[in-house]
Structure formats: C-alpha cells, structure tokens
Amino acid sequence: MMWFTRKRKKRSMGDETAGRQAPADSERSLADLFNDLRQSKDFVSRDHALKNMTVRISYVKPLIDTETMHRDVTRYLLKSEAATLEDLIPDLPYTTVIHTKDVKEMKEKLLRGYVLIQENQNEANGILLETVAKSGRQVDAPEVEFSVIGPKESFVESLEPNLYLIRKRLPISELRIKEVVVGKLTKSRIAVIYIEGIANKENLNTLTQRLKDIQYDQVIDSSFITQMVADNNHSPFPQLLDTERPDRVVSGLVEGKIAMLVDGSPLALMGPTTIVEFFSAFDDYALTWYLASAFRMIRLASVAFSVLATPLYVAVLTYHYQLIPKSLIGTIISSRMGIPFPPFVEAFFMEITIEVLREAGVRLPTKVGQTIGIVGGIVIGTASVQANLTSNILLILVGMGALASFTTPNYKMNNTVRLLRFPFLIAAAFWGLIGIGACFGLIVAHLLTLKSLGRPYIEPFFPYRVRDLKDAFVRLPYNQQGIRPQQLRPLDTWRLSHKKKKGRDIDE
Amino acid sequence: MRVKVPEDHQVSPFFLLFLFESVLVGVGILGYQRVLSQVTGSDSWMVVFIAGFCVQIILWMMFRLLERGGGDLITLHESLFGRWIGGFLTLAAAGYFALSGLVVLRTYVEIVTVWMFPKMSYWMLSIIVAIVAYSFIAGGFRSIVGINFLSVIYTMPLLFTLFFPLKNADYYNLLPYFNHSAADMLKGVQQITLCYEGFEFLLMFYPFLKEPKQARKWGHYGIWTAIFLYELVLIVPQVYFNEEELNHIVWPSLALWEIVQLPFMERFEYIGVTIWLFTILPNLCLAIWSASRATKRLFGFNQRVTVLIMLIAIVIAGYFFKNRQLVNQLNMTQALIGFYLLYAYIPILFIYQTILQKVRKRHGQG
C-alpha cells in the first residue's frame, strides 16, 4: 500500500504546480537552466567587471528593453562600489528588487523579460530586475463592437494596458484582480477581475476552479478559455460574454459579473451571462430608453427573421401553399415559373452561396473583400434569377436574412444565428411547419438546461424573474434600474439608495 | 418517510399556476364544445363552471392528502395500504399516467394528419413529437416546468384569434338558460372531465415544489385560469355557430381558426396546429415523467431508460389506433378512468386517510 500512497502524493504535488511549471523541471539545477537557455542565440550571459567585484548579467534579449537596461541597470552597476550582491541592491534605482535563490523563479522571470544579476555564476543566488520590453499596439477604437456614440477605446494584446483601462474607470479599492496562469507551454496569465462586496463568491469560485482545472498546452486567446470553462462545450451558444470594450466590462463588473482578461488577447470575457445580453449593444444605453428599446426590439425581430425566413418559405411553398393569400399567390407563381428545383434545393443553395460570400469576404483583405461582396452578391444574385435558377422572392428573403443576422452585436452569437437556420431549413423541407416547430422545441429544450457559470442561461424568461425583464426586450430608464440583475446573485442588490420619490401633483 | 428532493431541482410554487394552466389545456380544449353542446346545449357554460368547481374541491383534497402524507403518491400508498398493495396501486397509477401520455400523442398526431398532412405516415409524426418530448424530459423536472411556462407564453397570442369570429356573432345563441335536467348536467360534467384531467400529476411532482404550503393558492389560481379559458373557448363558438351546426363540428376550436383573416396569410389553422405542439408537449412530458418517476421510486429503475422505453411503447401502441373511431374510443376510455380516479379514488383515499389518522391517534393515546 505504501508505494501506492507515495505515488498518489507525488502526483498530487505535481498537480499543484502543474499550472505554473511542468513537474519534471522543478528540481533542475542552475547549470541545467543555463545550458538550456544557451541553446538559443538570443540568450545573453556575460561578465561585468565593477569597481570592487565582478557580476554576471543574463537576460533573453528580445524580451527586454535594451535602452531601459542601459539606463537603469548597467549605468548604476558601473558606478557602484559594492563588494557583495546584498550591497549592490541599494545602489540600483529600483523599488522592487527580487533577491532569490530559487532556480525556478529565476527561470520564470528570465523568460518574462527580467535581467538576472549574479555574483557567482555557479551559485543559485541572484537578483532579478524588471526590464520588460513594452512594445505592442496602441489603444485603438473598437472594430467589432463599434458604437456611434460613447467611448472609443478597446482592449489591446497586453494585460497591463487592459487592466489600466478598467482600473481608471473604477477608482475603488474594492476592485480585485486575481491572477491565474494557464497552459503548459504558453503559460498565459489570466486576470480574474471582480468587485468585492458585489460579485457573488460562488460564481468566482466556480470560475477559478474551472480555470485551475484547465489542462492544455496552449492558451493563445480568450476564446480558448471560453470553450474550456463553458458549462456545456457542445452547445452552439456562447456561454461567456466576450467584449473588446472596457466600458462594457466595467458596467458588467458593477452589475456583479466576473471578468477575465487573458494576456495576449484583446477580448475580455464576462460571466455569468444570459442570452439577451448577446443582443444588447452599447447604443442601447446611450439613447433614451424608449428609443433604445425600440431598436433592441428591431434587432431581436431581425434575428428571428434571419433564422426563420427561408425555412418558412420552404415549408409554406412545399407543403402549405394554402397559407398564401390569393393576391400574393400570383406573384409567387410568376416568380417561380420555370424554376427546375423544389423550394428546398433552391433555398439551400442560395443560403450556401451567401455563406460562401461571407466567408470569402472575411478571409480577403479589407478592400478586396468589399469589392467581392458587392460584385459577388449583385452579379450572382441577378444572374441566378435571370438564369431561372432561383426566384427573386427567395433572393429577397435570403438577402434580408443575411443582412438581419448581422444586426447581432456579438460576433460569436452572430455565427450561432447564421448556422441555426440550417437545421430549421432541413426540418422544414421534411416536415413543413411541424418540423420548424419541432426544431424550435429542441432548441428550447437545449436552452432550458444550459447554464453560464452555473446560472440559468435564459434567465429572465425561465426561471421567470420580472425584475430582470427591465433589461431584456426593453431597456427601462435608469431610475427603474435600481436593482442589479438577480441572475448574478449580487451580494449588494441595490444600485441606488432606494428612497421613493413622491409623485408631484400639478402646480406644486 | 419524507421524500427529499435537492433544492436545485425544485421549482418555486408560483410556477404551479402555469403548470396547471398548461396541463389542463391540452387536446381536450380543441373538441369539447361539440360533446357538451350535444348533452347540455346552451346550458353548457354552467357545466363548465360546475365541473371546474368540483375540480377545485378535488384539488383541495389532493393538497390535504399530500400534506398529511408528506411525500408523493408512492409514500401515500405505502403508508395507507402497506408495501404490496400500495405498490400495486402505484403501478396502476403509472399505467394511467402513461395512458394519458398515449392519448395526448395519438390525438395530436390525428389532428395533424387530418388538418395538415393527410399523407404523412403516423410513424414520422409521432417519432418527431416523441423526440422533442424526450429532449425536454431528459432535462429533468425543471426543464419540463420550463416548457410548461413557455407554452403558456407561446400560446397566449392564439387568444387574439378569438376576436375574429365575434364579428359575425349572434349572442341569442346563448339562450335559453336552465332548460336541461340535472341528469343531463351531470352527464355533461362527466363529458368534460377529459379536459380537466392532468392536475393529478401533482401527486407525483408535489415534492418538487419549494414551498408546498404556498403552492396551494397558485394551484387554485391555475385551475381558475383554466376554467376561464374553457368558458371563453366554449362561448365563442356557441355564438358563432348555431347549436345544430356545433353538434356536428368535430373540432370547433380549430374550425374557429378557419375564420381568421389576415392580409398576409390565409388558413390560420396551419399555424395554430403547429403552435399547438407546444400545448401538448407539457402534457406529454409531464405524463411520461410521472409514469417513469413512479417506476423509479418503486423499483429504482434508471429514469433515462424508462422514459425512452415508455416513449417507444406509446409510439408503437398509438399505431394500433388506426382510425378516428378508435382514437375516439381511446379518449373516452382514458376520460372514464380519469373520471373515476378524480371523483371516486381521491375522495376515498382522503376519507380513508382521515379515518386512519384519527384511529392511529386514538390508539396512540390509549
């Protein structure tokens, strides 16, 4: 039994460090580390003679900023009269100098852009100074979640500027940022952000637990994380809200959501979320409430149209032509006259064409993409009508459907909406309206059991919570939004101090 | 012995309103007007009320039974009749639940075949409905409550279609009152029982309610809503068709949809029958869920498997009811069993439990 427990123990110890480092190299010596690093040409390690001692300076060249190093490190080293490493520390213009004897830490920091200074190159004793190269994109205007009014800032690919964008909007001490490192090879840093006293601890624990359970070698982008921590990773519906807008993250945090930023990814993730949030845009909060509500309704209606238009066309023309009123049937007959295919084949090919156009437009460079879109859309459309391959009524429906699907503000949800119409289309071809009904039933059944970080995904509708409907189909005015969404189970429910204003009578 | 259900599988009592409303409004509501009209004519609206009132009393008894029994039907049977007889009775109840599932499925497929797809095979349609039903039942009781709730929301727009026939209504059709005998009325009450059946599933899902004491009032409200709907759907065809016509229309509620005229659509009944899928789904799901839950509690079977077996069984069983007469007979048989279950078995259980508890109490004191 002994060997068994020992083995278990060893493995569990390995698990603890698995997130940070592979268990095998935790016992490595300094010599091994240097041997390893010297295999690459960009590793620099050289001796420097100071006034009273010689030190060895090592760093990975591309990761550090050479100018900073010369300005803040080398210059002061040469001036220093220290004889030991300890005496050297006060001479350096750094507030935090890491003095360590841990090889593991040295390795980690060296590979994150630190400079290692040693007295004796064979002794695992050295100081680490941060000289990270700060190159990267400037903060730019959002491209995916564009809004006409409102802030024009979006996240970039490094963690620190992103955290700054959030911090500067929330200057409170309750803002908590926890770091988790994920990915065996990429060692991506993930910042988990929440507001103490508002965010529910249960949500936070769920998320951190799932992050720690991730076993994968690479985490390149936050979209990897979405799929890895999702409650149901076979679902076509995204279960964490992704956004490139810091203002949206902040408003989510204030509601009691938990946000995640992945180093190297310009998209933040937020959860728990509900399906309606994927259809809300920043403009919904910038306009007066009834205007905003009207536009949101239009958006939701266009999503429904985009999913159901072609399936309904196929179902009605194949099985239930009695539904068409007398005045309309003439138009439809004349437009479909001479078309050799049944409605399903006709619709299916048109939908596929649109998807191909879209896919090509995305892959091509921006300017060419636009041309292809216009030329392809118009030319192919007109030609196929003139060649009697498709009816122009269907062409209108397919075009409108594609257009309507782009009103979805969230790119991931947009993909879901676009793909959802194909099962409907097939069901409509086989079983008409009943097929559409059954398909809808299956999707509702799926949505009913779907969860986002353990919270129900279609929450304001089921479980039915009237209070959360204030920001679902319509967005009520801000003074009606006094209560934070109940789906998040916030610790502090009230946004406003809830004093009731007395309605004023005329002439008072 | 109390039945413990983990809290995250329970639902709040408020949903009982929707549960009862959607379960009571099933396939029955599509055709009860003719049956009633044949027996009680213009007095039918009173019959709907009387039957509704009786149902409220039975529901009250059911709540008392379950509260005192502290569990579901299985606990009740076991404490009243012992393990063997109680178990046997539960099995019979499970059979009845599965039978009501069969009635719902077969009748709906019949309606779809007659109104939409005369040529489509029974298998095709019933299997689609069964697959959708399975996907809901597999999500557990909460998911079934979800489709109950959503079905009420989805079918609400159908109420607007009741305005169209009113343009040509003749309100004198509602007269005269009180021209039927008490015996006729009682017969009417028996006829309409099929419509009011469905709330007996409460016997199975009672432990799934979060605060059962609170649930009572929502349960009664749910039945009131259903009574109101039945009155509405009875009176509209009564004022549109005259009595002679109504006596010969098999599905008056569907016939009303034929009158709907919209500028962009004709023959509204196609849409109506499709949306009706979401009204029968809760019934079917709850019936099969109750039946499989009973076998699970009795024998410890895996519910996923039993649900699948039961759905396959009712799809196959439905095939043997090949024509309209047989389907009708199936409906009548189930209605009759349900009638005796509600108006005879529940009161007997209630009285028996009261006596037994009194005796046990006195015995304990002596």
Side-chain angles (χ1 to χ4, degrees):
Chain A
M1 223 31 218
M2 270 296 281
W3 61 271
F4 181 67
T5 39
R6 210 185 305 151
K7 203 169 177 186
R8 280 255 303 260
K9 218 178 200 170
K10 203 171 172 187
R11 195 192 303 156
S12 70
M13 267 174 68
D15 280 347
E16 272 162 35
T17 49
R20 304 176 69 82
Q21 202 146 15
D25 54 19
S26 59
E27 294 116 32
R28 277 182 156 186
S29 70
L30 191 69
D32 285 341
L33 171 65
F34 274 79
N35 271 340
D36 247 10
L37 289 171
R38 279 213 189 91
Q39 306 288 321
S40 307
K41 206 173 160 271
D42 57 358
F43 180 66
V44 181
S45 179
R46 59 167 192 263
D47 285 328
H48 258 272
L50 310 187
K51 280 179 183 156
N52 297 324
M53 66 189 289
T54 316
V55 292
R56 170 158 280 248
I57 298 180
S58 329
Y59 52 87
V60 181
K61 207 173 172 202
L63 289 177
I64 64 152
D65 186 22
T66 328
E67 200 186 316
T68 320
M69 201 193 73
H70 287 306
R71 194 185 63 214
D72 295 348
V73 182
T74 332
R75 194 148 64 104
Y76 290 92
L77 280 179
L78 294 174
K79 270 192 212 161
S80 170
E81 292 177 357
T84 61
L85 211 55
E86 281 79 18
D87 295 339
L88 196 63
I89 295 172
D91 293 340
L92 294 166
Y94 275 84
T95 45
T96 47
V97 177
I98 304 169
H99 188 179
T100 181
K101 293 182 176 171
D102 184 6
V103 181
K104 208 174 86 185
E105 191 177 4
M106 287 181 190
K107 177 187 173 186
E108 221 167 77
K109 297 289 183 201
L110 270 175
L111 292 169
R112 292 257 188 227
Y114 280 60
V115 169
L116 174 69
I117 303 172
Q118 288 163 292
E119 196 175 356
N120 179 351
Q121 91 157 307
N122 298 321
E123 198 189 333
N125 180 15
I127 55 179
L128 290 158
L129 301 170
E130 189 185 351
T131 46
V132 186
K134 291 238 166 44
S135 66
R137 198 156 61 88
Q138 285 288 305
V139 173
D140 223 338
E143 276 174 24
V144 185
E145 286 170 87
F146 180 77
S147 78
V148 183
I149 29 179
K152 300 271 187 301
E153 278 179 329
S154 71
F155 288 125
V156 291
E157 281 81 359
S158 9
L159 195 53
E160 273 71 28
N162 289 351
L163 287 176
Y164 161 75
L165 288 175
I166 292 174
R167 271 273 187 206
K168 80 165 181 187
R169 287 178 166 83
L170 278 175
I172 49 167
S173 60
E174 286 85 3
L175 185 70
R176 299 273 185 279
I177 298 172
K178 297 259 146 50
E179 200 172 282
V180 186
V181 178
V182 177
K184 219 169 93 195
L185 295 180
T186 56
K187 300 205 186 304
S188 313
R189 293 151 67 211
I190 299 175
V192 179
I193 311 161
Y194 62 97
I195 297 181
E196 183 83 39
I198 296 178
N200 193 313
K201 278 277 147 53
E202 211 178 297
N203 297 342
L204 180 71
N205 291 342
T206 317
L207 180 65
T208 17
Q209 193 52 49
R210 286 188 193 165
L211 281 175
K212 280 180 183 155
D213 286 348
I214 292 179
Q215 299 274 343
Y216 201 60
D217 57 349
Q218 57 164 353
V219 176
I220 304 293
D221 186 63
S222 62
S223 44
F224 284 54
I225 300 283
T226 327
Q227 293 165 52
M228 287 167 182
V229 303
D231 296 62
N232 176 355
N233 50 13
H234 301 299
S235 171
F237 295 92
Q239 290 143 62
L240 287 174
L241 188 64
D242 56 314
T243 177
E244 55 167 356
R245 302 181 62 101
D247 48 296
R248 191 155 191 202
V249 172
V250 168
S251 69
L253 287 173
V254 169
E255 281 179 346
K257 284 196 178 58
I258 295 163
M260 267 183 290
L261 280 167
V262 181
D263 194 19
S265 164
L267 281 179
L269 297 174
M270 282 196 289
T273 183
T274 62
I275 192 166
V276 277
E277 281 184 303
F278 287 92
F279 298 104
S280 71
F282 179 82
D283 295 315
D284 290 355
Y285 300 92
L287 298 171
T288 322
W289 68 274
Y290 46 86
L291 290 179
S293 305
F295 291 129
R296 190 180 280 184
M297 299 279 242
I298 288 176
R299 207 177 300 135
L300 289 170
S302 54
V303 169
F305 178 87
S306 138
V307 174
L308 292 176
T310 21
L312 279 176
Y313 172 86
V314 171
V316 169
L317 283 197
T318 319
Y319 297 103
H320 318 292
Y321 43 86
Q322 300 96 324
L323 274 172
I324 307 164
K326 251 179 255 141
S327 47
L328 193 63
I329 199 142
T331 325
I332 289 183
I333 288 174
S334 63
S335 92
R336 268 190 61 77
M337 217 172 330
I339 290 169
F341 306 120
F344 170 68
V345 177
E346 185 194 358
F348 193 76
F349 274 104
M350 269 332 277
E351 287 289 359
I352 292 284
T353 313
I354 287 273
E355 290 306 309
V356 167
L357 269 176
R358 204 203 60 89
E359 194 63 23
V362 171
R363 303 290 154 232
L364 282 169
T366 330
K367 279 174 190 159
V368 191
Q370 266 177 13
T371 330
I372 284 290
I374 296 166
V375 172
I378 295 174
V379 171
I380 295 177
T382 328
S384 56
V385 168
Q386 279 172 358
N388 259 349
L389 288 174
T390 176
S391 72
N392 39 25
I393 289 186
L394 178 71
L395 199 66
I396 294 170
L397 285 178
V398 171
M400 279 284 289
L403 200 63
S405 80
F406 291 121
T407 57
T408 321
N410 185 289
Y411 179 72
K412 282 184 184 156
M413 193 48 106
N414 174 11
N415 284 328
T416 310
V417 167
R418 271 179 26 233
L419 211 69
L420 267 187
R421 77 178 72 133
F422 286 99
F424 275 99
L425 201 59
I426 293 166
F430 281 104
W431 307 289
L433 284 175
I434 290 286
I436 294 180
C439 205
F440 187 70
L442 287 174
I443 285 169
V444 170
H446 170 66
L447 282 174
L448 276 173
T449 49
L450 198 59
K451 291 199 158 108
S452 164
L453 292 186
R455 305 280 174 209
Y457 189 61
I458 50 167
E459 183 262 340
F461 316 117
F462 187 80
Y464 182 65
R465 297 206 183 104
V466 190
R467 283 171 168 183
D468 283 4
L469 279 176
K470 64 185 186 289
D471 198 5
F473 288 127
V474 293
R475 182 192 66 85
L476 293 183
Y478 287 119
N479 59 6
Q480 299 289 316
Q481 305 263 9
I483 295 175
R484 295 202 165 89
Q486 290 302 296
Q487 191 236 7
L488 308 167
R489 303 262 157 204
L491 300 179
D492 182 9
T493 317
W494 284 90
R495 285 167 175 237
L496 326 163
S497 53
H498 47 113
K499 256 187 280 172
K500 261 212 156 167
K501 259 193 206 164
K502 256 179 93 176
R504 276 204 295 180
D505 200 7
I506 302 171
D507 297 336
E508 260 182 17
Chain B
M1 186 185 98
R2 291 201 169 256
V3 191
K4 274 268 178 210
V5 173
E7 210 196 319
D8 57 327
H9 289 248
Q10 288 182 323
V11 294
S12 76
F14 161 70
F15 284 111
L16 204 57
L17 172 72
F18 296 96
L19 260 168
F20 277 179
E21 205 262 50
S22 71
V23 159
L24 288 182
V25 180
V27 281
I29 201 168
L30 295 178
Y32 72 110
Q33 298 97 330
R34 175 182 62 114
V35 192
L36 262 190
S37 175
Q38 280 171 353
V39 187
T40 48
S42 52
D43 278 334
S44 303
W45 65 273
M46 279 189 275
V47 174
V48 172
F49 249 124
I50 294 166
F53 202 73
C54 297
V55 163
Q56 296 276 21
I57 294 170
I58 301 293
L59 179 67
W60 176 81
M61 281 185 191
M62 240 185 232
F63 270 120
R64 288 290 292 170
L65 267 174
L66 290 163
E67 258 166 45
R68 290 192 297 209
D72 50 13
L73 188 65
I74 292 100
T75 341
L76 211 60
H77 275 154
E78 213 178 293
S79 68
L80 293 183
F81 302 107
R83 199 145 172 213
W84 286 99
I85 303 176
F88 179 74
L89 286 171
T90 309
L91 205 61
Y96 167 74
F97 293 144
L99 182 69
S100 31
L102 170 64
V103 168
V104 171
L105 180 76
R106 187 64 193 91
T107 316
Y108 183 66
V109 171
E110 174 78 11
I111 290 167
V112 174
T113 325
V114 171
W115 288 81
M116 288 174 80
F117 290 108
K119 280 181 199 143
M120 195 169 277
S121 80
Y122 163 80
W123 296 110
M124 200 68 126
L125 286 169
S126 57
I127 286 171
I128 298 173
V129 177
I131 287 172
V132 179
Y134 182 77
S135 73
F136 280 105
I137 304 172
F141 184 68
R142 277 182 76 108
S143 150
I144 296 175
V145 176
I147 183 60
N148 267 281
F149 174 70
L150 293 176
S151 87
V152 176
I153 307 286
Y154 292 152
T155 44
M156 232 178 248
L158 290 182
L159 279 180
F160 291 107
T161 58
L162 290 176
F163 283 109
F164 289 90
L166 287 184
K167 274 186 280 188
N168 304 318
D170 181 8
Y171 293 95
Y172 286 103
N173 281 353
L174 292 173
L175 295 175
Y177 292 154
F178 304 115
N179 65 341
H180 289 83
S181 67
D184 280 345
M185 297 287 228
L186 277 182
K187 207 170 163 224
V189 170
Q190 195 205 334
Q191 293 286 1
I192 200 190
T193 309
L194 172 65
C195 308
Y196 279 129
E197 275 164 20
F199 69 99
E200 63 270 16
F201 299 130
L202 176 71
L203 292 169
M204 291 310 303
F205 67 72
Y206 185 74
F208 282 80
L209 300 172
K210 241 177 218 160
E211 293 145 40
K213 287 252 157 63
Q214 291 258 314
R216 273 181 152 205
K217 94 178 159 197
W218 292 116
H220 287 292
Y221 289 163
I223 294 201
W224 279 122
T225 324
I227 294 174
F228 169 73
L229 276 175
Y230 275 113
E231 286 290 355
L232 203 68
V233 180
L234 175 76
I235 287 172
V236 173
Q238 270 192 336
V239 295
Y240 185 80
F241 303 110
N242 62 45
E243 208 178 307
E244 276 309 300
E245 264 181 305
L246 194 59
N247 288 349
H248 291 98
I249 296 172
V250 184
W251 283 302
S253 306
L254 290 174
L256 284 184
W257 282 337
E258 286 186 294
I259 302 152
V260 176
Q261 270 186 335
L262 295 168
F264 52 89
M265 192 195 288
E266 277 176 13
R267 303 293 294 270
F268 183 79
E269 70 270 19
Y270 284 79
I271 305 286
V273 171
T274 308
I275 296 179
W276 213 250
L277 173 67
F278 288 95
T279 317
I280 64 114
L281 267 178
N283 288 281
L284 180 57
C285 292
L286 211 54
I288 300 301
W289 180 85
S290 300
S292 60
R293 169 100 185 146
T295 56
K296 182 189 181 173
R297 296 262 290 114
L298 270 185
F299 309 112
F301 290 155
N302 184 343
Q303 214 174 343
R304 257 175 222 287
V305 180
T306 37
V307 167
L308 205 62
I309 293 172
M310 279 177 183
L311 280 171
I312 293 172
I314 64 168
V315 166
I316 294 172
Y319 178 69
F320 296 106
F321 298 90
K322 274 184 176 152
N323 53 42
R324 176 89 199 103
Q325 275 73 37
L326 286 171
V327 174
N328 226 2
Q329 225 163 42
L330 176 69
N331 266 304
M332 296 317 280
T333 316
Q334 194 258 357
L336 206 66
I337 300 174
F339 183 77
Y340 288 121
L341 178 84
L342 288 184
Y343 293 111
Y345 187 61
I346 301 277
I348 288 171
L349 266 188
F350 183 72
I351 294 165
Y352 184 55
Q353 193 193 35
T354 319
I355 295 170
L356 206 65
Q357 277 190 342
K358 285 244 165 80
V359 170
R360 276 181 188 163
K361 213 175 181 182
R362 197 168 295 166
H363 208 68
Q365 278 172 350

